[in-house]
Each structure stands twice: as structure tokens, then as C-alpha cells.
Amino acid sequence: MNKILNNTKGDRWIWLIVILLSVISLLSVYSAIGSLAYKRGVGAEAILMKHVAMMVAGLALMYICHRLDYRYYAGISKLLMYITIPLLIYTLLFGSHVNDASRWIAIPGTGLSFQTSDLAKLALITYLARTLSKKQENIKNVKESFVPIMGAVCVVFILIAWANLSTALMLFGVSILLLIMGRISVKQIAITCLAGAILLGAVVMLGPRRHVYMARIDTFLHPEKANPDKSYQADHAKIAIATGGIFGKGPGQSSEINYLPEAYSDEIYAIIIEEYGLVGGFLLIGIYLFLLYRCIKIATKAPKAFGTLLAAGLSFSLTIQAFANMAVAVGLGPVTGVPLPFVSMGGTSILFTSIAFGIILSVSRDNDETEKVVVGEIREVSVAV
């Protein structure tokens, strides 16, 4: 154990954030899984232990990923894209079909399933970070730089959006931020946005979930006219938040867990506010904002463009997802199926979130080691003088 602690490097604040989110997750999930345990006919402790096992596995993955040199991820980024695109297509054709959407595929021999969009987020961000950093000298070249970048963004966007529009939109937004950071011209970014808008229109108008999307948007824009069945989830999330008050009802005292669908996952933020009040809700917002601040510091200190783009892209992805989840819970957006990173009970999504944290910490570790070398060289020069 001491050896592991001694070899734990990177930004200490991010490690603290991970520990805080882990504690919040355990407390909140244990409170929210009562109804799920009843439906499955098992004890809440059994479900909680499975969640604990995934979190421990996630922490182990985070440790392994942060010990690897972050440049290693540049080398496998193209391989990840070659794996991801066929997996996304396979998921659409043969994945588990739930609510007119095929998002999950089973992992043979494990009894687990995962959303291929989670892998796609890591693959696209690492690929964009590698490609943008590698092509900085001719970044304005349309054929050599822009076409492969735009092609990757649009292909991944349409393959995810067909079954999971909210995740696709968030990933597209992160991609645009990376293009801006990577000095892609305004004209080319505008073309990418136009292509994304056309693809979005095609999904909303022709996709298999077009009726779901239109119903959710209509319910959000006109709640007074909404069918109670359509607004059920949003209504009970608002009830949970309204009854939480300033300091909340206390841990384990939520009543809305008996009514709120996905209380342990998509709507866990509403349960947190019900039990811990506005104080708990604002504390969680502060944690994610501080996470973004620390990640931006890591990105700006990275000596190489790849490290900067990689840390920035992954941190944007995590925080945008977090604020999208919280915005939906408090009624600032239509209902989506986006979990709260490292807090929601999400199975393999925790593992992919952990990998993202590990890669960010790998960039941070390299920054620290580079800084030590520079400081050592300065001292040697000072002594020589």
C-alpha cells in the first residue's frame, strides 16, 4: 500500500476531488436504490456492493492510466477510432434495443454491457488531440488537416446521435472547442457546425427516436400542456428539489426515490438536493467547477500541444456532462439519459470516466516531472555560475 501511495503522482487536488465524488456517490446511490432493490427482489446492499466493486475497479484503472506516459495515448488514438466506428455501427444494428434506441452491447462472459458512446468519447478526443497537435504546421490545409478531422467528428456524431442525441451533441460541442484551441480557421469551424446542423436535422426528422425527441422538447417548452405521463420524470425531480429546502431532509430521508425514475442514475442530482438541500447542490456544483479549474491549469502547463488538447478535451467532456445532468434535474433542459460523472450508478460508465481522470492525471504527472527537471537544471547553472 505504501508503495502504491508513493507512486501516486499528478495533481493532488484532482485525487481529492475523485475521493469526494466517490463518497458522495456511495451515500447517494445507497439512498436511491431502495425501489430498484425492491423491483429486483434483492437487498439494497447487494446492489451497493456491485457499485462499490465498479468504483474500486475504476480507481484501479485510474491509477494504471495515470502511471502511463500520456504520449502513449497518442499512439493508440487511431487504433481506438478504427475499433470505435465498427462498434458504433454494430451497436446500432445488433445492440440491446431499449426505448427505440440501441446503445448497449454485451461483454461476452461477464454479464455486463456498456455504451459504445463512452468509448467513442475517449477515442474521438484522443484522436482530435493527436491530429490537431501533429498537423499544426499545416493546420490550414483543407485536404491534409481539415478533411480527416471534420470526417471523424461528423461520422462519430451521426453514429452516436442516431440512438443517443444528447451525448452526441455534448461530444460535438467538445470537438468544436478543441478545433478552436487547435487553431482551425473560423471558416472551417463554421463548415463543421453547418455539417453538424444538417446531420442533427436528419436525426431529429428521420431518426428512430424522432417522436421521443419531439415529445421531450414539447414537454420542456410547454409544461402546462404536457401529458402527465410525459412530464412524470421532470415533475418528480422538481418535487424532490422543492421539498429539499436549504439544508435538505437528511441522508436516506428522500421520499421521491419511490417515484422518480432513474433516481440512482440520471436524476441522482435531484435526490442529492432533496436529502442535502441547496447547500449540497451548490457544493457539488463547486466541486465540478474546481475540477475544471484544476484541469485547465494542467492543460496550460503542458509543454506539448498534445498534452494541452488532451487534458482540455477530457475535462470539457466531464464537466459539460456534469452540468448537462444537473441542468436537466433542475428543469433547465429537456429530459436526457446523461449520468452524473463518477456519482451516478452507471456500471461501465464509471470505468470510462476513471480512464479519463487517469489520462488527465498522466498529463499532470508529466508536467510535474518536467518542472522538476527544469528547476534542477536552473540550480545546476546557478551553482556553476
Side-chain angles (χ1 to χ4, degrees), residues 35-327:
S35 58
L36 178 65
Y38 177 77
K39 290 177 184 178
R40 293 183 178 179
V42 298
E45 291 76 12
I47 298 177
L48 180 66
M49 290 310 297
K50 183 179 178 181
H51 179 62
V52 170
M54 295 304 294
M55 296 200 74
V56 171
L59 290 171
L61 272 176
M62 192 186 309
Y63 178 82
I64 293 170
C65 290
H66 108 283
R67 292 296 302 171
L68 295 175
D69 190 319
Y70 75 89
R71 297 170 189 84
Y72 168 82
Y73 302 106
I76 66 169
S77 61
K78 288 187 75 173
L79 176 62
L80 281 177
M81 286 296 291
Y82 288 140
I83 294 172
T84 295
I85 291 176
L87 275 178
L88 288 172
I89 295 172
Y90 176 86
T91 304
L92 288 176
L93 296 176
F94 307 109
S96 301
H97 201 71
V98 180
N99 296 329
D100 297 318
S102 296
R103 301 179 184 178
W104 297 268
I105 59 174
I107 303 174
T110 65
L112 298 174
S113 61
F114 79 101
Q115 289 194 50
T116 45
S117 59
D118 289 330
L119 174 62
K121 283 187 285 187
L122 284 173
L124 183 59
I125 290 171
T126 53
Y127 175 79
L128 288 178
R130 173 188 180 273
T131 306
L132 287 167
S133 59
K134 190 177 180 180
K135 297 183 180 293
Q136 279 300 297
E137 293 183 1
N138 58 346
I139 197 66
K140 307 298 182 183
N141 187 296
V142 174
K143 184 178 179 180
E144 292 185 14
S145 301
F146 178 63
V147 170
I149 290 170
M150 178 182 171
V153 172
C154 290
V155 168
V156 172
F157 173 76
I158 190 65
L159 290 176
I160 296 177
W162 208 248
N164 193 345
L165 184 58
S166 55
T167 297
L169 286 172
M170 286 186 290
L171 184 55
F172 188 82
V174 172
S175 300
I176 294 300
L177 289 173
L178 285 178
L179 297 188
I180 294 171
M181 292 181 64
R183 300 193 305 114
I184 293 289
S185 70
V186 175
K187 180 180 178 180
Q188 291 174 346
I189 291 174
I191 292 172
T192 306
C193 291
L194 178 61
I198 293 171
L199 293 174
L200 173 62
V203 171
V204 173
M205 298 298 293
L206 304 173
R209 307 195 74 215
R210 57 188 179 277
H211 301 301
V212 175
Y213 297 145
M214 296 308 296
R216 287 179 176 178
I217 293 172
D218 187 60
T219 299
F220 173 68
L221 295 176
H222 307 287
E224 71 284 353
K225 300 178 183 178
N227 185 322
D229 292 336
K230 301 293 185 182
S231 62
Y232 182 85
Q233 184 169 334
D235 290 343
H236 279 280
K238 293 174 184 176
I239 292 171
I241 292 168
T243 56
I246 297 177
F247 299 105
K249 297 178 178 178
Q253 300 303 311
S254 169
S255 57
E256 285 303 310
I257 59 169
N258 300 312
Y259 308 100
L260 190 59
E262 305 294 332
Y264 48 85
S265 179
D266 300 345
E267 297 291 349
I268 198 166
Y269 186 63
I271 300 301
I272 289 172
I273 295 180
E274 183 182 10
E275 294 189 343
Y276 300 96
L278 291 177
V279 173
F282 281 119
L283 175 63
L284 195 56
I285 290 174
I287 290 173
Y288 282 111
L289 285 174
F290 188 59
L291 169 65
L292 180 61
Y293 166 72
R294 296 305 305 179
C295 289
I296 289 175
K297 286 199 69 173
I298 292 169
T300 54
K301 288 174 63 178
K304 301 290 184 180
F306 176 66
T308 296
L309 293 169
L310 186 61
L314 292 173
S315 61
F316 289 151
S317 176
L318 290 170
T319 50
I320 288 174
Q321 180 179 329
F323 284 103
N325 174 280
M326 292 187 285

